[in-house]
């Protein structure tokens, strides 16, 4: 058994590259003033959903104003003059994680177009599975694509719709796309929010306490954005629901006949922020329960439970409490500037210098360690972490993973490597254990994960969540993708 | 009892301003190549000791090269071309936290001068207590001060010393200054490291594994810098010790007759990084023991132990283990870009928007909460945190502090507010409890703190640590300061 | 007679705002390598045609690469890494002067789209006069406009054309637009250059000396770009001509039946660079002849002829030679950074500080001065210049203008103020003279201007040039503009 | 005769490198407010005297504020917030051209130090000839040098002076230095301006018109700065004069017994701005007279007189008027961003692309051309210009130089190449003519130059100017330089 390429050639600095990445976060604000500031604050709270680019479009009663840039929210909107040039009481915003590597400014959302009915801006979290097919038809028809994002088909579908009314056009467009989407959109008259019929990506509605003259509303990917914005939670937007917000209040439309709830289970495992609440479940509590379930399913005798920070912490707390093994911070993560800033010369590679993580020897030395991580993607991270922990004196290292093996790519808005790069697709657990170098390796079972989320078990005939990355059970057609390419093990 | 000014006019964004700040971190490298890269990696690991500016001086066998800038290490040295312009096998570096607010480039260390014997660079962590007095004499003598730092007196004292030898001049200078210092210095022939006779600030020696031709050494403020640099720990540099490193190896000189060990106890409480080991004690373990001691001294019946992140986490783990009350992450801290980027309009103030911390309602709602923080300075942070926790539904909030009340300013290298701004100087514990709005407030006792560090109790005749900020017992004369101004309660 | 608003409230710094601005310069390169560098060099030489933004699109055999930015060519392409990311042997480029004030990145050309037939980029100098009308229809059809430039209708017309072939689509688009245009366009197979049927804006063809494998060609707005690029002049592209350049050589198509030559006469007066040659006439020589003609038409007894730098210099040389009055540099212009960098406080306004121009007192003091300028737009510049010259001691100031009075706005690619802001529209020459404060004021006659360009006189039935700004005789329909708004005096 | 190295390896872009460079410009302002803005405006007008760095120090009644940066004045002070952070009514400023190539921020003036008597800032135009000697002594004494500029000895000499009074210390320092200097200095109580005993560099006094409360004064290197600042000319500061400006008015001190007037004659030839007046002589008029004298001394039959822009223009106007040969702009210079921004690949070198100058073929083709330039340094520029002019079709090219052959280096504040790099040092005129490729080459004679400046001829026993670069007659001892190295031909 040779070492897979993914475990060779390891960059000596970062152990963070080997995570799945949420592709986007969205925010919408309908109030009387300062909409851009509020949107920026919301986007900042959703920074974990996309760190490569950010943008805001506002409407000030007369015109649409826009600013987009590459970088974190706090970088793109660092200059107060930028916010000052985004006046108005309504706004939408977007954080982006680029899947294709080409993070160009022309791909940064919100997308905007001058339509017959006026300006219209759209921000999209998710991924369309028939975008290529639609794009081909649209280009043949004479539509000019400015970006290389799948999201741009939305605005062209709206532009060419035969309906006259904005809402009708918007719904007309929704009915032609397949895939996962949580959308916010802004016209001069209204803020629109919509979720795909399976509700794969989260989207919630909140309320701003002020507003004598008119009610003030916000929509956002997660509840964690609400406190940033000083808003209160109202409710989740439902799968297949379209919400229209204007000065008359909120209108809810449900244009789809076939609606189910197949929320992305990985949002609970890793993507969402722990202080968010999704469909009445606290993400933090869900992770603790996953940890507890994991302890039940595959515990091992050990001295300490150590999370891989930061994402493994809640599961580790749950695991420690369930297993009665002490929880300790055995790995410390630096929170200063993330990007590699030193060119790795041979000497520096040889020295094995580390920028982001370091081990806390006092906790690890001479100990049998249970490491808790949320998932294994390529396995490169896990291998390095295990090496570091052993180098700090651990006598045994047992790796426990708070999700089932990730064997399938996601096509619904998460950046996963090609399937053949997924360690769990190409190797069984014993092989993985050997490659990673742990004394033992355990994953929570699929049913265990469902139990942690309050279900009795996975309903295999009508699953309660989208868990395609674990099961290959894709609930939305993958029209643009050759299904032959997705292999079962 | 009126509200002190420090608790009014609260900035709505950050609850981090109300911490004591370590003033500096230092690194020195003596090897064959890449000294600047290694120094930058070490400074990055010491980022918590100074975040406002950073600088490196290298010597490449022919000339000294220097780069200094305002910002984090990863910002100042972001461009690989900058490191490329710092060639050589020896280097010193410095992270700075400015006490005076005027973070000007001319104050960024290392300081450098062209001396009769060649170039010489110095980086200083600590604070001199007779710098003003010395500066007056030096200026009168015709010395030109370029910076407004106390550290500059070192290089002038070296410049005017009547000794000819670099070491003799350096020690001559050391003998004239009072205060706390951990120094690294670089001449064309040697790397020097020195610690004041009471060893107030930390300084450690490490070794690089490579080096067939010559031995490679590093010095750094804390051991946490070693793994960043791929180096191994050798030993603490002792109080009053001067280490000279050159190609012949290491020479140790102890020029002071009166040497004691009065290491800063607050380094254990808050300043040092948890994965550092100081004088054979793990900082993380020390904090856990402080938490355990705190639980012993002033426990209260409650449902959850919640740390104020990140500094309160180890003490909270210790407290939870000792009290058998579950440890929970009730407050989440954003690790994205720290600086405030939104201008707070009235509306935004009114909404109480938050950028850096948010509460995890699922853990707090309906619960009796024990909050663990490391210290109370002005009290503003504590007040906001308590409000946030109550707003998230906590039924009781009990605040426990992992250090005794901070009643005295530090003059040895820590940025403390003027004494009258210290809440514990102007108020007793009951008053503080009321002002902060907690149901109860408890501090670890001074003896309890010493116990957590392995002592039986504080030796009041010859204390084992410098604890002036708690006790007013200043072990080094405060020559520049009017002692009348320091009041006992 | 009250002072018109344009002569009040004068900015104290610049006397350059009161010029007409050419809107754009274009460059195209078809060679084997380094196309981006050559394009940038050409754009740099055409900097006078647009100073607000610049962009280049290249094709490297596989994909199109693009970079656009706000600022001068030397700023937008300052970083060699930017050019390095624009590989390939073919390229087009564009300099922009924004007419509307909103110089946003989305308006910076070249425009680019992914078409059914592949990528296609277009850069446009000129202005379309039916762009609004076309845009309305296109938007109604579902086309999404990304920019607010008139030029974008080109690419939508190409996108929706029913022809399949690129050239056919391109010509199909040309036939639908009205206005002035010199275009360069790039597909994966060819470089296209086209000039409107009246040839209002210049466009020339050049050849690169290298090219064993294939012939290398360049197109550019003016010949001055050729020497920058190391290219040789081949010929003017003709009015109504479309040139297709590919590896097989050059093909010329003339798709329009009605073609005339109505080249913009103001290019000779002011816009073009003096070292350019347009339609076999040297711009420098043309300006000298205009100066000589002006001396013939309205000379006055004086001591010195002084140009308003830099644009008035050639006419002043011609005037001085014809009138035998000495030519002197009485006004010096600073060529360092042009933008105002000092906020004008009251004191600074009061002091009348100057950034860009200063008088050379030694030449002016006690002298009767003939000032030569190219044109009068709002008159604000002229007034300040005359004041400065008097303040330097001139006893008489006679202003002579190297063009007829500018009474009409341009709609063909030149940024002119609204007609009512044109001093010559609202005032007769006597009134202008008084307002500007000269002892006498003279303009060259329209026939005089034509004589200077080698014509006997203006052919009023079929004018040899477009001189609408002087005569109101607009040779291309102003479809988008309410012709009622253009008033004859 | 082989080609000297200086004429090989020619950079393909710029023909400007081969000029002598003035090393600095200085400004001082004593008024009630906005001193920094006025100083920046003055420095902007003196930009030609130093383009690599700029700095301003102000005093606001309480403290000194400073900003220094690399780049043009308009770049260093581009941000209005920078000027806003330089409050106060008194200021000094400095433009720098670095001689040594190491333009580091620590070398940017004004220099500043905290002295026993308070803060003190100094800005220096010129060069000291015993700075190395003084620096050695000062370093031996314990003075720490922060910069590598000769100017820093001033502030150390002031710092160690035994006098108590600022003025006495300042004069004490002046008496110890040798060399050329025009100085401005600022203490909390006064603005000081001083010129060396031979008055080698210019320095003038002006008055601001406002100032009811107190008189407002400015000092500057040249009068051209006055109109920029809205100030009026008062008088030249005299050789060896020290001017003290405070709220009581102006005091003049003449501390030197041996004073002469040996003003740098090259300031008239090239350095000063043409609209400046120095010692009652207009620089522009002086250059015209030099041109006329040159025409008298070495005219040749030709068709056009063409200046090498911009510096050759006034001499060419004078030459043309005297010779009755028409003046024409045969070479056009681009005034957009000066720095090379394209990496020269082989192809681009081969194409001979040009960024800064281009020829105006209409003026040169088929013509016998007299080219007028101000001086020949290495000869590289001249060679390229002549090639360009021939390539544009000139049948003959005659080069006439408005100064005698430059055979000696300057040590008084002008950046000249080492003597062996000066073409006129290593070659006679015939050889130079051949190397440069002209049909004939003529220089003005030394006596001719003096005549143009109003003298009968050079007084060889007591020359009226410093003309060491032409004659090797150095009026100030070159203490730091081995005089053996300066060779007569």
């Amino acid at each position: 058994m040779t070492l897979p390429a993914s475990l060779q050639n390891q960059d000596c600095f970062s152990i963070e590259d080997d995570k799945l990445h949420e592709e986007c976060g969205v925010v919408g604000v309908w109030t009387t003033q300062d909409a851009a500031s509020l949107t920026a604050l919301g986007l900042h709270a959703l920074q974990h959903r996309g760190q490569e680019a950010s943008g805001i479009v506002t409407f000030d009663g007369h015109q649409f104003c826009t600013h987009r840039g590459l970088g974190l929210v706090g970088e793109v909107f660092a200059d107060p003059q930028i916010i000052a040039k985004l006046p108005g009481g309504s706004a939408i915003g977007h954080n982006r994680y680029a899947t294709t590597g080409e993070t160009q400014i022309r791909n940064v959302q919100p997308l905007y177009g001058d339509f017959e009915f006026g300006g219209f801006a759209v921000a999209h979290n998710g991924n369309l599975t028939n975008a290529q097919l639609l794009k081909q038809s649209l280009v043949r028809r004479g539509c000019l694509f400015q970006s290389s994002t799948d999201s741009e088909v939305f605005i062209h579908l709206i532009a060419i719709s035969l309906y006259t009314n904005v809402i009708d056009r918007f719904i007309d467009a929704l009915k032609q796309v397949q895939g996962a989407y949580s959308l916010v959109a802004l016209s001069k008259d209204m803020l629109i929010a919509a979720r795909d019929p399976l509700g794969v990506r989260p989207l919630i509605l909140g309320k701003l306490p002020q507003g004598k003259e008119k009610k003030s509303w916000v929509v956002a990917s997660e509840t964690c954005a609400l406190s940033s914005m000083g808003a209160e939670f109202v409710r989740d937007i439902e799968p297949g629901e379209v919400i229209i917000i204007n000065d008359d209040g909120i209108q809810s439309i449900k244009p789809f006949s076939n609606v189910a709830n197949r929320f992305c289970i990985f949002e609970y495992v890793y993507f969402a922020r722990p202080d968010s609440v999704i469909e009445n479940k606290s993400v933090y509590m869900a992770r603790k329960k996953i940890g507890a379930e994991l302890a039940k399913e595959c515990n091992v005798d050990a001295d300490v439970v150590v999370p891989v920070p930061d994402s493994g912490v809640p599961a580790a707390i749950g695991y420690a409490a369930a297993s009665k093994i002490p929880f300790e911070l055995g790995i410390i993560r630096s929170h200063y500037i993330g990007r590699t800033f030193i060119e790795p010369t041979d000497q520096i590679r040889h020295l094995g210098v580390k920028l982001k993580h370091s081990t806390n020897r006092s906790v690890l030395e001479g100990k049998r360690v249970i490491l808790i991580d949320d998932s294994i993607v390529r396995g490169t991270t896990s291998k390095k972490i295990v090496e570091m922990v052993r180098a700090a004196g651990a006598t045994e290292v047992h790796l426990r993973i708070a999700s089932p093996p990730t064997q399938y790519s996601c096509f619904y808005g998460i950046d996963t490597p090609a399937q053949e790069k997924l360690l769990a697709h190409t190797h069984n657990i014993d092989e993985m254990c050997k490659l990673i170098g742990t004394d033992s390796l355990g994953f929570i079972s699929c049913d265990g994960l469902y139990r942690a989320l309050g279900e009795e078990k996975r309903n295999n005939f009508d699953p309660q969540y989208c868990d395609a990355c674990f099961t290959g059970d894709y609930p939305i057609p993958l029209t643009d993708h050759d299904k032959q390419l997705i292999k079962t093990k």
Side-chain angles (χ1 to χ4, degrees), chain A:
Chain A
M1 193 177 66
T2 57
L3 198 69
S6 62
L7 290 186
Q8 299 164 351
N9 266 330
Q10 298 164 21
D11 177 300
C12 58
F13 288 120
S14 169
I15 60 171
E16 292 239 302
D17 298 340
D18 194 26
K19 287 286 176 192
L20 300 184
H21 294 283
E22 179 68 38
E23 281 172 26
C24 302
V26 297
V27 172
V29 169
W30 185 267
T31 177
T32 52
Q33 57 179 329
D34 293 332
S37 290
L38 291 170
T39 302
L41 289 163
L43 291 175
H44 179 73
L46 297 173
Q47 189 73 82
H48 60 289
R49 296 184 77 83
Q51 291 135 43
E52 300 198 344
S54 196
I56 293 176
V57 172
T58 65
F59 181 68
D60 70 354
H62 300 284
Q63 59 176 351
F64 288 84
C65 304
T66 175
H67 183 75
R68 286 179 279 228
L70 305 181
L72 298 175
V73 178
E75 293 166 347
V76 174
F77 297 98
D79 182 352
Q81 297 199 320
I82 287 171
I83 292 286
K85 285 181 183 161
L86 296 169
S90 56
I92 63 171
H94 189 266
N95 282 340
R96 174 176 170 77
Y97 177 82
T99 54
T100 58
E102 54 151 353
T103 303
Q104 293 185 7
I105 194 77
R106 67 181 173 127
N107 284 341
V108 181
Q109 299 193 23
L111 299 167
Y112 176 80
D114 287 314
F115 293 72
E116 198 177 352
F117 57 78
F120 196 69
V122 177
H124 170 216
N125 170 214
N127 207 63
L128 303 185
T129 53
N130 67 339
Q132 291 311 313
L133 192 71
L134 290 168
K135 183 172 175 176
Q136 280 166 29
S137 305
L138 289 164
V139 166
R140 211 171 296 125
R141 193 190 186 285
C143 294
L144 272 177
F145 277 73
Q146 298 291 327
S147 75
S148 59
T149 64
D150 62 313
S151 312
E152 193 178 344
V153 302
F154 276 118
I155 59 169
H156 288 288
L157 290 172
I158 294 167
I160 65 165
S161 172
L162 299 176
Y163 292 91
T164 51
N165 178 297
V166 180
I167 302 291
D168 292 341
R169 283 174 177 240
F170 185 79
I171 290 169
D172 187 23
L174 291 193
K175 289 190 168 169
Q176 296 175 70
V177 300
Q178 296 171 336
Y181 50 83
S182 287
L183 292 170
V184 293
L186 186 68
S187 79
K188 64 188 201 302
D189 302 316
M190 69 191 86
L191 175 69
I192 306 175
R195 228 172 140 200
D196 66 74
L198 300 190
V200 175
R201 296 286 143 232
L203 193 63
I204 56 100
L205 177 69
K207 203 169 60 178
L208 287 169
Q210 101 275 44
K212 289 156 203 175
E213 310 142 49
K214 73 172 185 182
K215 287 241 180 76
S216 291
W217 303 94
V218 303
V219 287
S221 292
E222 295 181 34
T223 63
C224 66
L226 295 176
S227 67
S228 280
M229 305 162 84
E232 292 155 25
F233 178 70
V234 176
R235 65 173 175 87
D236 289 289
I237 293 174
E238 293 174 31
E241 185 180 12
V242 177
I243 290 268
I244 296 140
I245 300 174
N246 58 23
D247 286 353
D248 298 331
I250 286 193
Q251 186 189 350
S252 169
I253 299 175
K254 299 194 176 164
F256 298 99
S257 46
N258 287 314
V259 170
N261 195 341
R262 294 291 292 271
F263 183 68
C264 169
I265 204 164
F266 216 96
E267 294 270 356
Y268 285 111
V269 170
Y270 173 71
F271 300 132
R273 226 171 76 169
D275 53 333
S276 283
V277 174
I278 302 176
E279 299 183 335
N280 301 319
K281 277 188 277 297
S282 152
V283 172
Y284 176 84
M285 283 305 181
R287 288 182 192 166
K288 273 189 61 184
K289 284 181 198 156
I290 293 170
E293 194 69 35
L294 187 59
K296 236 182 282 172
E297 289 193 350
C298 50
N299 194 22
V300 61
D301 197 25
D303 302 309
V304 287
V305 172
V306 167
V308 177
D310 289 346
S311 57
V313 174
I317 292 174
Y319 192 107
S323 66
K324 314 281 186 208
I325 302 172
F327 168 88
E328 297 284 4
L329 294 183
I331 302 171
I332 305 292
R333 180 182 166 196
S334 167
H335 288 296
Y336 298 103
I337 209 160
R339 273 156 284 183
T340 300
F341 65 97
I342 297 291
E343 302 272 310
T345 63
D346 281 350
Q347 164 169 280
I348 283 172
R349 274 183 204 284
H350 173 72
L351 290 172
V353 298
K354 282 152 205 88
L355 270 183
K356 292 219 71 165
H357 291 77
S358 58
T359 47
N360 185 0
R361 177 174 281 269
S362 65
V363 156
L364 303 169
E365 194 161 24
K367 299 287 171 49
R368 295 169 301 164
V369 176
I370 299 174
L371 269 182
I372 308 292
D373 205 353
D374 58 86
S375 59
I376 292 180
V377 184
R378 291 181 190 80
T380 46
T381 293
S382 312
K383 187 167 188 290
K384 279 185 230 172
I385 290 277
V386 169
E387 277 169 9
M388 280 171 64
V389 169
R390 287 207 196 276
T395 55
E396 296 176 18
V397 182
H398 303 275
L399 182 58
R400 293 297 175 268
I401 304 297
S403 61
T406 303
Q407 301 184 56
Y408 301 90
S409 299
C410 177
F411 300 95
Y412 305 144
I414 303 300
D415 180 40
T416 33
Q419 201 182 4
E420 61 274 17
K421 297 277 179 66
L422 296 170
L423 194 67
H425 176 68
T426 51
H427 295 76
N428 65 31
I429 292 182
D430 278 355
E431 291 166 347
M432 291 169 79
C433 179
K434 228 179 250 178
L435 279 170
I436 289 167
T438 44
D439 294 288
S440 75
L441 170 63
F443 292 85
I444 196 171
S445 68
C446 213
D447 283 338
L449 178 57
Y450 275 73
R451 273 196 300 276
L453 294 171
E455 308 292 333
E456 197 184 335
K457 51 176 272 191
R458 184 179 195 266
N459 176 346
N460 288 332
F461 301 102
D462 185 9
Q464 303 91 324
Y465 292 92
C466 175
D467 54 12
C469 52
F470 307 132
T471 62
D473 179 353
Y474 291 97
I476 306 171
L478 305 182
T479 307
D480 287 340
H481 303 272
D482 184 348
K483 255 169 287 183
Q484 308 302 349
L485 292 179
I486 301 157
K487 288 168 197 139
T488 51
K489 217 163 165 181

